[in-house]
């Protein structure tokens, strides 16, 4: 009995010591070390790739955001603010109905098959809207030129990028709305077009937040002169 009790006590003691050591190592020292290295080596990425304008955080390079007008009374879906480059649609996003203390947006996809009638209606309506919004006098948009990312949402609904083709499609409209030369706005798109990673991974893309931040600076500079 005494031997059995002593063995049990030693095992419990060893388990407790292991628990305390591993808790300190994995729960305290390792997270502190990783956080410290990340803050020293890559502070911007470690803090969420925040974008700051005039000392104020306006978003993240990693998360898409919408550019909409304030909703009108009784309007469920606000209209896009056509002063800015518009991101991809976000039909898959949901609203937070559980913890209403915070104004949260729930990431998600539409989960509709390619032949789903609702998805087809979404795409058809989105294409018509893109054509109408981006057609300017003397330069109507050909529906065949509307790229897929202009009318379909990403799997997360939070894609921060659009294709260079979609950005180029919006150039004349953005230039007209901001009283800017078309070639200056087109230069912004070219300057903010990112190539494939390592030259072969992914597709060329344009970060909408970075592009609109540069557009804001250009418009303010032009209005100041």
């Amino acid at each position: 009995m005494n031997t059995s009790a002593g063995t049990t006590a030693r095992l419990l003691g060893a388990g407790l010591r292991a628990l305390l050591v591993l808790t300190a190592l994995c729960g305290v020292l390792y997270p502190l070390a990783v956080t410290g290295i990340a803050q020293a080596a890559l502070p911007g990425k470690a803090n969420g790739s925040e974008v700051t304008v005039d000392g104020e955080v306006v978003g993240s390079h990693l998360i898409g955001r919408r550019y909409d007008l304030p909703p009108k009374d009784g309007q469920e879906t606000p209209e896009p603010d056509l002063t800015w480059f518009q991101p991809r649609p976000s039909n898959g996003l949901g609203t937070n109905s559980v913890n209403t203390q915070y104004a949260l947006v729930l990431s998600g996809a539409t989960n509709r098959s390619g032949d789903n009638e609702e998805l087809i209606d979404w795409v058809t309506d989105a294409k018509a809207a893109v054509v109408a919004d981006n057609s300017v006098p003397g330069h109507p948009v050909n529906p065949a030129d509307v790229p897929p990312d202009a009318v379909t949402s990403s799997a997360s609904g939070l894609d921060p990028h659009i294709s260079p083709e979609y950005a180029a499609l919006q150039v004349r409209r953005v230039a007209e709305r901001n009283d800017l030369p078309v070639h200056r706005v087109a230069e912004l798109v070219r300057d903010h077009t990112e190539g494939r990673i390592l030259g072969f991974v992914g597709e060329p893309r344009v970060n909408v937040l970075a592009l609109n931040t540069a557009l804001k600076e250009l418009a303010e500079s032009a209005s100041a002169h």
Side-chain angles (χ1 to χ4, degrees):
M1 292 292 293
N2 291 338
T3 302
S4 177
T7 301
T8 300
R10 286 194 301 273
L11 291 174
L12 289 175
L16 180 59
R17 289 192 297 273
L19 174 63
L20 294 175
V21 170
L22 290 174
T23 298
L25 181 63
C26 299
V28 179
L29 297 180
Y30 176 74
L32 287 176
V34 171
T35 300
I37 293 172
Q39 290 293 337
L42 301 167
K45 293 183 178 180
N47 291 322
S49 299
E50 294 175 338
V51 177
T52 303
V53 177
D54 297 330
E56 180 182 353
V57 176
V58 297
S60 168
H61 277 292
L62 305 177
I63 301 176
R65 55 164 290 185
R66 295 198 55 78
Y67 294 84
D68 293 325
L69 296 170
K72 301 175 183 178
D73 292 339
Q75 188 179 42
E76 293 185 3
T77 304
E79 298 176 1
D81 186 348
L82 299 179
T83 304
W84 307 101
F85 284 93
Q86 290 296 310
R88 297 183 65 172
S90 51
N91 292 331
L93 295 182
T95 56
N96 171 41
S97 59
V98 179
N99 187 352
T100 55
Q101 178 181 356
Y102 303 101
L104 303 178
V105 174
L106 306 183
S107 171
T110 59
N111 292 328
R112 303 294 195 279
S113 64
D115 60 353
N116 181 273
E117 292 185 2
E118 187 175 22
L119 177 61
I120 294 173
D121 289 341
W122 283 345
V123 171
T124 302
D125 293 344
K127 177 176 283 192
V130 169
V131 171
D133 290 344
N134 292 283
S135 293
V136 299
H139 297 278
V141 172
N142 185 344
D145 294 334
V146 177
D149 62 303
V151 296
T152 56
S153 58
S154 64
S156 67
L158 299 173
D159 191 347
H161 299 101
I162 57 176
S163 66
E165 292 77 16
Y166 186 27
L169 187 73
Q170 302 182 62
V171 164
R172 290 188 179 277
R173 182 255 300 164
V174 170
E176 181 183 78
R177 296 286 178 129
N178 289 278
D179 295 322
L180 294 170
V182 172
H183 74 274
R184 293 294 303 278
V185 180
E187 285 177 4
L188 283 184
V189 172
R190 288 194 295 270
D191 292 343
H192 288 82
T193 298
E194 306 171 27
R196 292 179 173 87
I197 301 173
L198 300 178
F200 66 93
V201 178
E203 295 292 334
R205 60 206 180 278
V206 180
N207 188 286
V208 180
L209 177 57
L211 180 60
N212 278 333
T213 300
L215 172 65
K216 182 175 183 290
E217 294 175 356
L218 178 61
E220 291 176 347
S221 175
S223 63
H225 293 79

